[in-house]
Amino acid sequence: MSGQWGSPAPYGQQPWQPAPVPTPQSAMRAAHSDRERTVDVLKAAYAEGRLSAAEYEHRMSSAHQAATYGQLASLVADLPAGPMVLPFGAAAPMVPPTFLPPAFPPPPRPSNGLATASAILGGLTLFTLGTTGLPAVITGHIARGQIRRTQEAGDGLAVFGLILGWLSVAGWMLFSLLFLLASSGH
């Protein structure tokens, strides 16, 4: 008699085994990871003020002793398991702009053209024996006025041109004065 207890089943047939008894999920045995997930939900609920200290301690000890999914589920049944969904029409909490990442860096400010011209003319005073000094001073003052109104970049260039321009003008004035003194003395 093949297929009975103790004898092998014929080829192609499986030996008889008892049918599994359907077990409700709440009666299934819980693992350590299941208890840890429940503990995490309890910690979050305590941190959010949903549980008192005494209730938190009681539920924590019960979670560590729970053997089934049903016991774990009963500990967190009245608590949200994740982020709460806002009811329809409720305003979302506002995040202050300070904590938001910048979308893009602000574009660089354009440089004032007259400031650039002043710096170039001031630099040329060394090669032109100071003849570009007066134009450097004029363009430098105009550029600084425009920069104050338009908030453009280039103030450093304008100041550089002004310094070299004024040094050139002062040099020419000193040269002229010395020339006049030398010519009047003879």
Side-chain angles (χ1 to χ4, degrees), residues 65-171:
Q65 295 171 2
T68 64
Y69 281 120
Q71 291 170 333
L72 291 175
S74 68
L75 295 172
V76 294
D78 60 338
L79 301 173
M84 292 295 295
V85 177
L86 293 174
F88 181 74
M94 176 76 171
V95 175
T98 307
F99 299 111
L100 295 176
F104 295 102
R109 296 180 305 167
S111 185
N112 185 286
L114 285 177
T116 305
S118 176
I120 291 171
L121 290 169
L124 286 176
T125 59
L126 303 172
F127 303 106
T128 63
L129 301 175
T131 57
T132 58
L134 190 57
V137 169
I138 294 169
T139 55
H141 281 292
I142 294 171
R144 292 201 73 204
Q146 288 178 351
I147 289 170
R148 276 189 231 109
R149 282 193 314 276
T150 63
Q151 300 298 315
E152 291 177 304
D155 191 52
L157 292 172
V159 170
F160 177 74
L162 280 169
I163 291 170
L164 291 178
W166 279 118
L167 286 174
S168 172
V169 168

